[in-house]
């Protein structure tokens, strides 16, 4: 197992601060946010200094019913090779549903959603992980995710599910202790019991992040300081095994560099405290593991596809909540997904909030209630603009600016600034329709 040390999630907003931080052994980058042919200069300098860079994927959807997309796998492999990474990581989650297996339109969550801990889901996940392992040039590690909702009829605990996944595939595990804490608050799952069930020898590294609690729900925001309960879970893990690497995640609301350095110091102390306990206490013998069982992947895929499509449709398209799910929690999750869509669209298309002003967020949330995302966030931005234009905004200047923005981006070619060229293209479109 590669020894990584102490790291931090690299983000463009804190690139300079990360370069100056003492004691940073490695960094992790969101794989989809870097282009192999145009690496940020900061990442290049870190690599030249010998700092390890690990690509962390968010879009494969290994826990989904469909087999992993070959293009996405090739892109992840290219990033691993470009960054000379010792491993790549992804999530145990589904991010899209629908499609051929359900004879319905594909829809996307824009977020990581939990996989049911059932034999069907495990069979599908194991096959998907093997497909990914065969396509990647370096080892794969997969991360446990945080969840607001629980699936009814689950057959295994998280520890059992992860143990059997690692046992059947040899995949390594990225354990997020913040997600264990989140699931403790939201789903009543004891982090210690989850750690009891894990194959500790399979841990590749550990994530640590902050969040906040509101109305009895823990939100894994990656935008707040790491709380003491998360550090306590990290200490518990480190009392059982020496983690090869520990990484601080921060995605938004970035503090000053000094505060992030203090958090890294707290993480190091938590690991050291765990090591002291490990040296002082005898090893605990793990409990009995569930016996492996592999069913028919194709039949399991069809059953899983129907179940995941029903759940995702309820979350993003306003269809009825499937039987057995907590309707209140499903509502909280649906609102969280819509809010995230609004935030991300505002980042990928920053002109929209400027054009629509204070009305942007309310308009987007109304649109998102019944209009699921089908082609990624950039496509979502275009669809939203088209939806607003169809409603003919009363503000004439905003309507004109929005229409101009949409026309510039919706065609196969950028819209020319020269009136004669625009007229020629428009005339051609009219003639082609005849």
């Amino acid at each position: 197992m590669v020894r990584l040390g102490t790291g931090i999630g690299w983000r463009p907003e804190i690139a300079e601060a990360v370069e100056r931080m003492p004691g940073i052994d490695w960094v992790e980058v969101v794989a989809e946010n870097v282009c192999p042919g145009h690496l940020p200069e900061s990442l290049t300098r870190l690599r030249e200094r010998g700092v390890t860079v690990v690509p962390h994927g968010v879009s494969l959807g290994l826990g989904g019913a469909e087999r992993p997309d070959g293009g996405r796998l090739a892109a992840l492999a290219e990033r691993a090779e470009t960054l000379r990474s010792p491993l790549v990581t992804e999530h145990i989650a589904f991010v899209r549903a629908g499609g051929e297996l359900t004879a319905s339109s594909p829809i996307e969550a824009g977020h990581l959603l939990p996989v049911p801990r059932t034999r069907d889901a495990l069979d599908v996940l194991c096959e998907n992980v093997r497909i990914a392992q065969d396509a990647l040039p370096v080892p794969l590690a997969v991360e446990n995710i945080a969840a607001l909702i629980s699936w009814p009829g689950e057959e295994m605990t998280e520890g059992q599910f992860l143990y059997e996944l690692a046992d059947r595939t040899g995949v390594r595990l990225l354990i997020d202790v913040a997600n264990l804490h989140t699931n403790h608050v939201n789903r009543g799952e004891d982090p210690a019991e989850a750690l009891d069930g894990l194959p500790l020898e399979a841990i590749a590294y550990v994530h640590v992040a902050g969040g906040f609690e509101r109305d009895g729900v823990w939100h894994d925001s990656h935008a707040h300081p790491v709380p003491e309960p998360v550090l306590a879970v990290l200490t518990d893990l480190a009392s059982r095994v020496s983690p090869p690497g520990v990484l601080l995640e921060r995605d938004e609301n970035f503090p000053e560099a000094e505060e992030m350095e203090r958090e890294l110091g707290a993480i190091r102390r938590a690991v050291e405290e765990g090591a002291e306990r490990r040296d002082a206490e005898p090893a605990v013998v793990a409990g009995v593991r569930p016996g492996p069982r592999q069913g028919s992947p194709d039949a399991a895929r069809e059953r899983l596809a129907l179940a995941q499509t029903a759940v995702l449709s309820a979350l993003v398209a306003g269809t009825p909540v499937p039987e057995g799910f907590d309707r209140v929690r499903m509502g909280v999750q649906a609102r969280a997904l819509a809010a995230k869509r609004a935030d991300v669209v505002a980042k990928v298309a920053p002109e929209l909030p400027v054009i629509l002003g204070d009305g942007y967020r309310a308009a987007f949330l109304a649109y998102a209630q019944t209009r699921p995302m089908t082609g990624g966030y950039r496509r979502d931005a275009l669809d939203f603009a088209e939806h607003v234009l169809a409603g003919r905004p009363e503000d004439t200047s905003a309507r004109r600016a929005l229409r101009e923005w949409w026309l510039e981006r919706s065609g196969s070619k950028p819209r020319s600034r020269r009136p004669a060229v625009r007229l020629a293209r428009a005339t051609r479109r009219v003639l082609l329709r005849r």
Side-chain angles (χ1 to χ4, degrees):
M1 194 75 70
V2 177
R3 301 299 300 186
L4 294 169
T6 303
I8 190 168
W10 184 93
R11 302 293 183 267
E13 296 89 340
I14 55 172
E16 292 185 6
V18 168
E19 287 189 67
R20 294 193 300 267
M21 282 183 189
I24 295 298
D25 302 307
W26 64 293
V27 298
E28 181 190 76
V29 297
V30 177
E32 290 80 355
N33 290 350
V34 294
C35 178
H38 301 86
L39 288 180
E41 293 182 3
S42 172
L43 282 181
T44 300
R45 287 192 293 268
L46 288 170
R47 284 292 306 134
E48 290 172 349
R49 280 168 38 189
V51 176
T52 298
V53 182
V54 174
H56 184 52
V58 297
S59 64
L60 270 184
L62 290 172
E66 297 282 354
R67 289 175 173 80
D69 178 76
R72 295 180 191 275
L73 283 172
L76 188 56
E78 184 182 15
R79 283 152 178 78
E81 291 174 336
T82 299
L83 295 167
R84 303 193 299 279
S85 305
L87 77 165
V88 297
T89 58
E90 247 290 351
H91 297 83
I92 302 170
F94 78 101
V95 297
R96 61 188 65 86
E100 292 183 5
L101 287 173
T102 60
S104 62
S105 299
I107 50 177
E108 297 188 22
H111 189 66
L112 304 165
L113 294 176
V115 174
R117 297 173 198 148
T118 62
R119 291 292 175 184
D120 275 353
L122 182 61
D123 289 343
V124 170
L125 176 61
C126 286
E127 186 177 32
N128 286 350
V129 164
R130 293 190 195 100
I131 292 170
Q133 288 171 318
D134 290 343
L136 295 170
V138 294
L140 170 68
V142 290
E143 178 182 354
N144 60 303
I145 72 162
L148 283 172
I149 58 175
S150 299
W151 285 78
E154 292 192 318
E155 300 165 350
M156 287 170 275
T157 66
E158 181 160 40
Q160 291 170 333
F161 191 84
L162 294 177
Y163 185 94
E164 192 162 330
L165 170 65
D167 188 50
R168 285 170 55 173
T169 65
V171 75
R172 300 179 185 183
L173 300 178
L174 161 49
I175 299 301
D176 191 315
V177 293
N179 291 348
L180 292 179
H181 172 68
T182 301
N183 292 343
H184 172 60
V185 177
N186 293 349
R187 301 171 18 150
E189 298 173 350
D190 186 350
E193 290 184 6
L195 292 175
D196 283 342
L198 292 179
L200 299 179
E201 69 280 1
I203 295 179
Y205 63 88
V206 177
H207 271 174
V208 185
F212 66 96
E213 187 172 354
R214 179 185 296 156
D215 299 329
V217 173
W218 186 267
H219 298 270
D220 180 45
S221 67
H222 291 193
H224 294 77
V226 178
E228 285 300 323
V230 171
L231 292 174
V233 179
L234 175 61
T235 297
D236 189 5
L237 184 149
S239 73
R240 303 161 185 262
V241 66
S242 174
V246 182
L247 180 128
L248 172 65
E249 284 190 294
R250 189 72 175 240
D251 293 333
E252 295 179 356
N253 191 26
F254 297 101
E256 295 297 324
E258 292 76 10
E259 183 176 337
M260 288 187 286
E261 290 173 18
R262 284 193 293 271
E263 287 200 286
L264 287 167
I267 288 169
R268 292 188 183 98
R269 289 191 295 274
V271 172
E272 291 168 0
E273 182 181 343
E276 292 172 0
R277 293 185 191 176
R278 190 173 67 249
D279 294 338
E281 299 173 0
V284 177
V285 178
V288 178
R289 312 300 183 187
R293 184 228 70 165
Q294 186 166 356
S296 166
D298 289 339
R301 285 186 187 279
E302 292 178 3
R303 291 190 293 268
L304 185 62
L306 291 170
Q308 290 181 339
T309 300
V311 169
L312 185 52
S313 182
L315 291 172
V316 302
T319 59
V321 174
E323 185 177 354
F325 283 87
D326 185 319
R327 294 178 181 275
V328 174
R329 285 294 173 87
M330 287 286 284
V332 173
Q333 181 71 84
R335 290 190 292 275
L337 291 178
K340 181 179 179 180
R341 278 176 70 185
D343 291 340
V344 177
V345 166
K347 289 180 179 179
V348 302
E351 302 88 352
L352 293 179
V354 174
I355 293 171
L356 298 175
D358 294 339
Y360 163 76
R361 193 169 188 84
F364 190 92
L365 294 178
Y367 152 82
Q369 285 182 356
T370 57
R371 297 287 295 270
M373 183 165 57
T374 59
Y377 284 109
R378 295 188 186 281
R379 181 70 253 174
D380 204 23
L382 288 168
D383 290 345
F384 167 63
E386 187 174 359
H387 172 78
V388 173
L389 287 170
R392 297 196 56 82
E394 294 181 2
D395 188 327
T396 304
S397 60
R399 183 168 68 248
R400 185 182 303 113
L402 186 60
R403 182 175 180 274
E404 180 74 15
W405 180 90
W406 182 83
L407 288 172
E408 289 282 352
R409 291 158 179 80
S410 61
S412 58
K413 296 180 179 179
R415 190 168 182 251
S416 174
R417 294 287 182 184
R418 297 164 57 192
V421 174
R422 295 206 305 267
L423 177 60
R425 288 180 181 174
T427 302
R428 183 173 180 272
R429 287 197 299 269
V430 171
L431 292 173
L432 287 172
R433 291 194 193 107
R434 293 182 176 179

